[in-house]
Amino acid sequence: MKKHQKRQSIPYKTVFVSLFLFVIAVLMVSCEAQSLVGNWRGDGADTVYHSLPVTTAEVTTATTTAPPVTTSVATTTVPTTTAPPVTTAPLPPPTPYYNPLTGLPCSASEAAARPLAFCVKEATGGVIGRADLVIEAPTEASATRLALLKAGGAALWGEVTVASTRPYLAALSHDFFAISVYRGTSDLDRESASFLYNTVDVSETPVKEKDPEALMAAIKAASYQTTVAGSILLPYTLSDIGAGVPPQEGSSTYVSVAFSQGATTSFTYDTLAGCYTMRSSSALSSAEGGLPTFTNLVILFHDATRRISKDGVELTLDTNLGGTGYYVASGGHQRILWRRDPVTSRLYITDTDGVPLVLARGKTYVGMTTFEYREALILN
């Protein structure tokens, strides 16, 4: 027989206390939950996380002043350099123009002007000295003629009295691209140069005397070229500036050129001036204006023929066959050759080896004489 255990009853006091503690616990849990949404404030020791908006009055933000940032830059000592003073280089001198006949500096208008050749029986030393190049050739009756060549030389028309010319004188003037100005030819105009070369024969085309503008008007009316395009093809070449080798075959401080038994022209060398002074000539009328001087002397020997005309004996020099001669400069001389090209008719003057002759820059005298007077030439 089972023995029945006696059921023990729970006292009401105990139940009440337990219920009270349960309520308290629930309340505490509830308060803790509300504090998490911001309704609970601790005593300052608690760490509370607020998810609700926080007002400025509630939060005091500690202001932290950041320490100044110091940038360390490596200091490089750059030496102070004083810029050199700016100097303006002087402008180079303007390029000079050169006379087509002498190779010496001249004006732009003179360098571009075609030379004129005035044929005269005689002229003063001053007028001859103003020419760039002088050609002297014999005529009959123991006389000579001069052709005074000057680039842009219309002004000489006011200072000279032109005379009759000879075809061989006009031919050599043409070799320097000059326009010959003269008054008729020999033997009552039987010989003429106008059909071969650019010429102004004032006996056929009257030009007002001593009027350069009238002369240029006559030249333009003839439709002749009045300018030099580039440079003139001379029978020789001119040396570079400051260069040039003087003739070395012999000494020549005195020169005498014979044209006939009664006509000679002489020169003396001035060592200090480096030029030859013309002291005598059948065409040198006086020393008015000073004696003319030349840097170069060129003597050319020609074959010659003579014929009888009603005016007497007429002399003609052959300018086509070629020949020999001498070049004189700087107190010395050398033998030379001359020839004319059969196709172009251009004149060439060379040394004895056929090398083109090189003349010093300056004024030049050209003496055209005959072979029969070659032995009468004085060079010493």
Side-chain angles (χ1 to χ4, degrees):
M1 177 180 198
K2 294 180 182 181
K3 190 177 177 178
H4 294 283
Q5 296 179 350
K6 188 178 177 179
R7 179 181 299 179
Q8 295 181 356
S9 60
I10 300 173
Y12 289 105
K13 183 178 179 179
T14 300
V15 173
F16 178 76
V17 172
S18 301
L19 182 59
F20 176 78
L21 293 174
F22 175 79
V23 172
I24 291 300
V26 170
L27 288 175
M28 291 180 66
V29 172
S30 176
C31 289
E32 181 66 20
Q34 290 190 17
S35 70
L36 292 176
V37 295
N39 293 328
W40 172 258
R41 299 287 300 198
D43 59 3
D46 300 322
T47 300
V48 181
Y49 295 94
H50 300 277
S51 61
L52 295 178
V54 181
T55 62
T56 304
E58 294 177 327
V59 180
T60 302
T61 305
T63 304
T64 305
T65 304
V69 178
T70 304
T71 305
S72 177
V73 179
T75 304
T76 304
T77 304
V78 180
T80 303
T81 330
T82 304
V86 179
T87 57
T88 304
L91 295 175
T95 302
Y97 296 92
Y98 297 98
N99 185 299
L101 296 178
T102 67
L104 299 176
C106 65
S107 66
S109 59
E110 186 178 5
R114 185 177 180 182
L116 301 181
F118 298 92
C119 183
V120 299
K121 283 184 178 180
E122 60 179 13
T124 65
V127 172
I128 295 174
R130 280 192 283 280
D132 298 323
L133 186 143
V134 173
I135 303 172
E136 187 169 20
T139 63
E140 55 287 330
S142 298
T144 62
R145 288 285 190 278
L146 295 182
L148 307 180
L149 280 68
K150 185 169 181 58
L156 283 182
W157 174 244
E159 302 181 57
V160 300
T161 299
V162 296
S164 61
T165 191
R166 300 295 184 270
Y168 47 87
L169 190 58
L172 191 56
S173 298
H174 180 73
D175 288 317
F176 294 93
F177 195 51
I179 300 173
S180 293
V181 182
Y182 56 90
R183 189 182 303 277
T185 55
S186 61
D187 197 16
L188 297 178
D189 294 338
R190 178 179 175 182
E191 293 179 326
S192 177
S194 59
F195 70 95
L196 291 175
Y197 317 112
N198 291 168
T199 64
V200 176
D201 185 349
V202 297
S203 66
E204 297 179 355
T205 305
V207 178
K208 185 178 180 181
E209 294 288 342
K210 314 300 182 183
D211 187 345
E213 292 185 1
L215 176 62
M216 292 307 299
I219 291 173
K220 292 178 181 179
S223 300
Y224 294 151
Q225 181 178 337
T226 58
T227 59
V228 174
S231 61
I232 294 176
L233 293 176
L234 300 173
Y236 42 75
T237 60
L238 296 174
S239 67
D240 294 334
I241 297 176
V245 179
Q248 302 292 329
E249 289 185 12
S251 174
S252 294
T253 56
Y254 174 78
V255 179
S256 178
V257 184
F259 296 95
S260 66
Q261 291 184 353
T264 60
T265 300
S266 63
F267 303 85
T268 55
Y269 183 63
D270 186 334
T271 305
L272 294 178
C275 59
Y276 288 84
T277 301
M278 177 189 282
R279 296 200 176 274
S280 68
S281 170
S282 61
L284 180 61
S285 60
S286 72
E288 181 183 347
L291 292 171
T293 59
F294 302 91
T295 302
N296 307 295
L297 306 179
V298 179
I299 298 99
L300 305 178
F301 299 113
H302 298 72
D303 282 330
T305 59
R306 290 174 174 82
R307 61 182 178 82
I308 304 297
S309 70
K310 66 179 182 179
D311 295 330
V313 178
E314 297 289 339
L315 173 69
T316 299
L317 299 184
D318 193 317
T319 59
N320 293 316
L321 292 179
T324 61
Y326 282 90
Y327 168 49
V328 183
S330 302
H333 68 263
Q334 72 179 74
R335 288 170 294 175
I336 59 175
L337 302 174
W338 67 271
R339 63 180 178 83
R340 190 173 296 279
D341 188 286
V343 177
T344 63
S345 294
R346 181 184 171 189
L347 177 67
Y348 291 91
I349 301 177
T350 69
D351 62 17
T352 53
D353 294 326
V355 178
L357 186 64
V358 179
L359 266 64
R361 291 179 180 240
K363 295 185 178 182
T364 299
Y365 167 91
V366 180
M368 303 175 67
T369 189
T370 64
F371 276 113
E372 63 186 295
Y373 287 103
R374 179 172 51 186
E375 299 301 324
L377 176 68
I378 300 175
L379 298 171
N380 60 27

